Amino acid sequence: LGVAVGFLWAPCAGPILGLVLAGAALQGANLYSALLLLVFAAGAATSLGLALLAGGRVFAMMKRGLGAEEWLRRSLGALVVIGVIVIALGWDTKFLAQFSFLSTAKTEQQLISQLAKSPVKNALQNTPSLAGATQWLNSPELDLADLRGKVVLVDFWTYSCINCLRTLPYLKAWDEKYRAQGLVIIGVHAPEFAFEKSSENVQQAIREHGIKYPVALDNNFKIWNAYQNQYWPAHYLIDAHGVIHQQHFGEGAYLETEQMIQTLLKQARPELSAQTLADISVAGVAVAAQTTSALRSPETYLGDAKQKNFSSPETVVHDATQHFSMPKNLALHQWALAGDWRIDAESAALQSAQGALTIKFYGRDVNLVMGAANGKTTRYRVTLDGKAPNTAHGLDSDAQGAGVITGQRLYQLLRLPAAGEHELRIEFLDSGADVFAFTFG
């Protein structure tokens, strides 16, 4: 980044330097931050030095040509202006959305899988502590030093993450099965959205999901950063001597994890009898495993910080009430709003008495993180391809598609018998709806 900034100093220095400084600030005042800034500065100084030595001769040669320098500068300037116009009007995303083969979801998942196996993630030489939690639930404050002799599973999660919710039945089953034998599960709740920082919201989610093991609220990401974690969900399995034996990111690997739990428990307590190595059964769990189809729609954020595939014809103005309308047609993965909405970094909030949200998706389950302003209840109605969902309704809507927002959480709107391409429309019958992100199974 430093080298690139040096060559393109004027237009790029501010944003990239801001990125580097933000990264350093997140890590705090330490050797890593100092080296980060030092390397960035060295890169910028190197390219600026090269440009100083060679730039004069190169451009002098270009000037002797047919005004090449002037034409080059004008052409690059024109391309920058055109690029700004295209991005500002959203033409780039609307064009790319026409081609499903350009989706990066499959590539992203493959990359995450490779990174999860990378030796870099095993670089934790010493097991980090659990210091820095803003609050502990279901338990007094815990420290790994006090848990020596126990097998500890540290699980990073957040209560509106569908992938995290799918792992809860296994975690609860392991807690019930192995707690008496020396397993301690600690859920580290690291919020993705601002409302997930609320202790009351997390406590309500803990009650609803029947979580009995300790939960640390990591609102300042102290524990997250100490573990160098990057994923929801993620778990770290620690033996009785405080050494990490297994790291896993995302869903899956339940049998392998349980077998490792049994192995570490037997090492800590040789007198334990052999345990059955069968996988934990989660039959009847409402949030079943996701489809593996490459066509499955990606997680879709509705706030403008991570917004993609928004297709209402109006241009979004950050944190301002605007009237939006539906386009004639939606391509796969595109979504749009109708009515008066206020879009900020995290969500879109309905300002009028009624409004609608439509998305063209591929999947089996459709989940939407929602809340309502000032704690009020907001009614909504879901339609699937223009009709009532009937037997395809989710846990949070009935056969006619009717449902009510009663709190800030993940709502399951649809559960189809099989994955496919469909259009979902959700009409809000009251003002105050606040919508955050779609996830698909």
Side-chain angles (χ1 to χ4, degrees):
L1 287 177
V3 171
V5 166
F7 282 122
L8 300 169
W9 183 262
C12 302
I16 294 180
L17 183 57
L19 174 66
V20 174
L21 290 173
L26 288 173
Q27 294 292 332
N30 53 35
L31 181 61
Y32 176 86
S33 299
L35 289 174
L36 182 70
L37 294 172
L38 179 63
V39 170
F40 175 79
T46 300
S47 56
L48 283 172
L50 291 173
L52 180 64
L53 293 173
R57 294 179 183 177
V58 172
F59 281 106
M61 292 172 60
M62 293 175 66
K63 284 181 180 180
R64 289 196 293 270
L66 298 176
E69 178 195 10
E70 189 65 25
W71 281 107
L72 178 62
R73 289 199 301 174
R74 290 180 181 179
S75 300
L76 291 175
L79 288 174
V80 169
V81 173
I82 292 171
V84 169
I85 294 173
V86 167
I87 294 171
L89 296 178
W91 292 344
D92 57 330
T93 54
K94 292 181 180 179
F95 173 76
L96 292 173
Q98 305 298 318
F99 304 96
S100 59
F101 64 85
L102 292 176
S103 172
T104 62
K106 184 177 181 180
T107 304
E108 290 171 358
Q109 187 57 52
Q110 291 175 344
L111 180 60
I112 289 174
S113 299
Q114 291 300 318
L115 288 174
K117 300 174 183 177
S118 170
V120 175
K121 295 306 298 179
N122 296 320
L124 296 172
Q125 299 299 323
N126 299 308
T127 303
S129 75
L130 298 173
T134 54
Q135 186 178 351
W136 283 82
L137 305 175
N138 290 347
S139 167
E141 182 176 353
L142 297 176
D143 187 89
L144 289 178
D146 299 329
L147 296 175
R148 289 289 189 269
K150 302 279 189 179
V151 175
V152 180
L153 192 156
V154 177
D155 179 73
F156 288 89
W157 71 296
T158 185
Y159 78 82
S160 75
C161 165
I162 185 63
N163 307 92
C164 301
L165 297 183
R166 292 187 184 118
T167 66
L168 287 182
Y170 295 93
L171 292 167
K172 292 190 296 180
W174 292 333
D175 179 54
E176 181 178 350
K177 187 175 180 180
Y178 299 113
R179 179 185 287 206
Q181 300 175 38
L183 175 67
V184 178
I185 297 179
I186 299 173
V188 178
H189 187 274
E192 182 176 15
F193 300 110
F195 67 81
E196 292 174 315
K197 294 182 178 181
S198 166
S199 175
E200 291 76 14
N201 288 350
V202 179
Q203 290 181 61
Q204 181 177 346
I206 287 175
R207 288 192 298 269
E208 290 178 353
H209 294 293
I211 297 172
K212 298 180 180 179
Y213 51 80
V215 174
L217 302 190
D218 192 25
N219 287 351
N220 297 325
F221 287 85
K222 296 289 188 181
I223 305 175
W224 176 286
N225 288 332
Y227 277 78
Q228 303 173 32
N229 188 51
Q230 301 177 42
Y231 308 103
W232 291 281
H235 77 241
Y236 299 80
L237 191 55
I238 304 167
D239 70 9
H241 303 290
V243 177
I244 294 177
H245 275 259
Q246 185 190 64
Q247 303 174 46
H248 182 76
F249 310 107
E251 302 176 55
Y254 301 116
L255 177 58
E256 294 86 342
T257 299
E258 184 173 10
Q259 290 175 339
M260 181 58 72
I261 290 172
Q262 294 168 356
T263 298
L264 296 181
L265 286 173
K266 291 173 188 175
Q267 291 176 358
R269 298 178 60 188
E271 73 276 10
L272 289 177
S273 60
Q275 299 296 318
T276 301
L277 296 180
D279 197 4
I280 294 290
S281 173
V282 290
V285 175
V287 282
Q290 63 187 7
T291 174
T292 57
S293 171
L295 290 175
R296 181 173 57 89
S297 293
E299 185 171 11
T300 302
Y301 291 91
L302 309 183
D304 57 19
K306 300 181 181 179
Q307 194 176 83
K308 291 183 179 179
N309 297 329
F310 181 59
S311 298
S312 289
E314 297 79 14
T315 301
V316 174
V317 178
H318 176 74
D319 209 18
T321 299
Q322 297 174 257
H323 183 79
F324 293 100
S325 57
M326 293 286 175
K328 292 182 179 180
N329 296 293
L330 289 175
L332 183 62
H333 311 317
Q334 286 187 336
W335 62 281
L337 298 170
D340 295 333
W341 294 80
R342 189 182 189 92
I343 299 178
D344 61 18
E346 289 192 347
S347 68
L350 180 62
Q351 306 296 307
S352 52
Q354 293 182 330
L357 166 61
T358 303
I359 187 166
K360 191 75 166 286
F361 71 94
Y362 187 99
R364 185 192 64 179
D365 297 349
V366 180
N367 310 286
L368 178 59
V369 178
M370 298 190 289
N374 302 320
K376 62 186 291 189
T377 58
T378 299
R379 298 169 298 155
Y380 61 84
R381 182 171 57 246
V382 174
T383 57
L384 176 64
D385 299 325
K387 301 177 183 178
N390 296 317
T391 57
H393 72 88
L395 287 175
D396 296 298
S397 60
D398 61 20
Q400 299 305 310
V404 180
I405 301 174
T406 56
Q408 294 169 314
R409 63 178 177 86
L410 183 96
Y411 290 77
Q412 187 188 71
L413 303 179
L414 293 176
R415 159 155 278 197
L416 296 157
E421 183 175 328
H422 300 278
E423 184 171 285
L424 173 144
R425 180 181 175 88
I426 175 169
E427 297 180 357
F428 298 96
L429 308 180
D430 306 299
S431 62
D434 204 6
V435 290
F436 292 82
F438 279 106
T439 52
F440 305 90

